[in-house]
Amino acid sequence: QTLRVLFQYKPQNIDELLINVGDFIYVDPTQQSNVSEGWVIGTSHQTGCRGFLPENYTERANESDTWVKHREYVFVTAPRFVTETENEPNVKLDGEVHNPHWSGSITNVLSLQNVALRRGVLVMHHGERVDQVFGKSWLQQCFTADGKYYRADLNFPSTLPKRKDSMKHFEYDPPLSCCGVFQSRLIGEALLDHEVTVSYMYSSPALRCIQTAQHVLQGLKLDQKVKIRVEPGLFEWTKWEASKVIPNFMTMTELVEASYQVDTSYRSNFPLSSLVPSESYEEYVSRTSTVIKQIITACPSVILLVAHGSSLASFTRPLIGLPARDSSNFAQVVRKIPSLGMCFCEELKEENKWQMVNPPVKTLTHGANAAFDWRNGIVED
Amino acid sequence: QTLRVLFQYKPQNIDELLINVGDFIYVDPTQQSNVSEGWVIGTSHQTGCRGFLPENYTERANESDTWVKHREYVFVTAPRFVTETENEPNVKLDGEVHNPHWSGSITNVLSLQNVALRRGVLVMHHGERVDQVFGKSWLQQCFTADGKYYRADLNFPSTLPKRKDSMKHFEYDPPLSCCGVFQSRLIGEALLDHEVTVSYMYSSPALRCIQTAQHVLQGLKLDQKVKIRVEPGLFEWTKWEASKVIPNFMTMTELVEASYQVDTSYRSNFPLSSLVPSESYEEYVSRTSTVIKQIITACPSVILLVAHGSSLASFTRPLIGLPARDSSNFAQVVRKIPSLGMCFCEELKEENKWQMVNPPVKTLTHGANAAFDWRNGIVED
């Protein structure tokens, strides 16, 4: 039996369940003994958590709602049951304890039947970039007057890839921070834990995106198998670039020399020379919807796109048949998209359409680490 | 020639140097050709950056100031010159490009002479804890009603160490987040890059501190060599604990079973049973100053202490002969200390005293990653 949540309920006891509007709750009628009148024990579809909830905050869901929702679990092809004792703790950054509530359910049966047919596009925001933390002056903090790179804070990368006129071109095409590398690796490892098989990796030509793609592939242990297709058509809305011209991205030769696993044989859908500086919203929308349609035509299985905040809307809405987002508060929405924020679209081949569903892995939420000078407060009062 | 900075100067050109009050600037008189009147080319002691600066923002420093400052570089025993091309990029999270400005200077000569004599204490704040990001309700987000752990966000650890009454005891003794593990590893790797040899590792009995110590040792590649001495005397000022009693820390047996490299033969200076709940500031100050003196008496070389924010003041000030910090705004100061914030004291054996100097590695500064729901803003306008 499945319930749809009508009102939010915040737990007032440790054994109660937080439920949010729109969530589905799975209720096993055989487990409702010793439950007080008006309450049920259920498992949240959103969180996988289980606990007591007030029944009158919910309504019975339609069979079809549940069925569509169930289809999100296409990736769990072989559920594993990892317990704490079977694992060496603290050896890896991540790993996942699968929630045993889902095991053996109709979910996995359905997904096993459908997984061969399913095509999906996972659109991903790149990781933390150095200028996001250290501001535009990061180059001045990190380069000596004679052009030597210096790691002024441990969140700066240990080295920078070699490129022509690096001082000048890093300014408009900055690299990931170490934290950005951590974020990318963690997401890659989580995708691996969920046994997501990525067959195609596309990246915006921005260095931060190529680096994110590389580290996600390393986390997935696919860096020797899947090459990164650098696609200029995935670049940010050029109106938002600080530079009035298109940045000088690293060349294929430079990327290869810097050990990035790029696909040198890939011919882009939208050549770099076609990118218009300061493009209008209409030009941007037209470019992105054209490019995503070309990409899905070329790829029969799961595609990962690493690009920019705006990409999460611009490369998914054309697929699911939504018009372009209203441009008025687009910047505001995009600014809220965190590093490695994701949207996932999957194809319903039988119905000849795409739908947006939960990404195969959870979100990544962490705090900031502030600058620190031991002199302040520790020695001086 | 060394200058002391009297006024801050913010660069107005790319080849100018940011200088801060109190910093020292090294100036090589042989390199001042082609420099305009009133300007010099110098290298900042604080940042290692080099550039032009206005001479009248500085004064000549005393020989003795410079000498004391030079002594901070005890760790650079064998300067390496790593260039970008010699390194495989993106293989490690960190690594360090050493600033060639320091090479062959009197710095290294001095440090080579003194390194055998030098004893040091590096006090370190633990990494990001899960409740810092997800609040006190993290347990409700992560545990099902029947006590199964569930990774509700990718910043939660993949597994939790096994302990008695885990639900209850994790509440007052939470683990590190994945980001906290990343922070600890990065600092350990940076210490290794600077060839810091840690001979003794002490940790507060709080799980987050033991985990931080373990990951720092892994970054240092010392996890098979240096065991963690779990010292209850390093615990937080108990008045600040949410619990009115001393938390139930993991036992030695549980820590060993969870693969933490703890020193089971270590006899603590301050047994757990002596920790007073809700201790007064005077009791806390007395405990911490007693414990740090016992620790340095037992250890002839470099000691690393992983503990709490307050520890950065409480375990260093007694060494350098400062009275306890004024308690009035102590909480405010401590709250600002970031994860892996560090203070470093070194012994001047000849003078029979300790001084606080720059830690052997830089700070770690990174941004936050916000919670994200793809439904908001991407699909709905």
Side-chain angles (χ1 to χ4, degrees), chain B residues 3-62:
Chain B
L3 305 174
R4 178 190 286 107
V5 178
L6 298 175
F7 312 103
Q8 191 191 45
Y9 176 74
K10 291 191 179 172
Q12 275 142 40
N13 275 302
I14 191 87
D15 57 0
E16 291 174 13
L17 183 68
L18 171 72
I19 57 176
N20 287 306
V21 180
D23 193 6
F24 289 91
I25 308 295
Y26 298 91
V27 173
D28 182 343
T30 65
Q31 295 184 350
Q32 306 301 322
S33 50
N34 303 319
V35 177
S36 315
E37 174 80 37
W39 292 78
V40 288
I41 295 183
T43 305
S44 157
H45 174 70
Q46 270 177 15
T47 65
C49 291
R50 189 156 172 264
F52 290 93
L53 62 136
E55 197 169 10
N56 58 1
Y57 281 56
T58 65
E59 63 172 4
R60 241 187 124 133
N62 290 330

Side-chain angles (χ1 to χ4, degrees), chain A residues 3 12 14 23 61 64 70 73 103 116 121 185 193 228 234 250 290 312 314-315 325 334 356 366:
Chain A
L3 306 175
Q12 275 142 40
I14 190 88
D23 193 5
S64 61
H70 265 135
Y73 287 81
S103 65
V121 178
R185 284 293 275 267
D193 275 328
I228 303 165
L234 297 183
M250 283 176 71
T290 307
L312 269 67
S314 316
F315 293 107
R325 240 194 139 284
V334 168
M356 206 180 307
H366 65 70

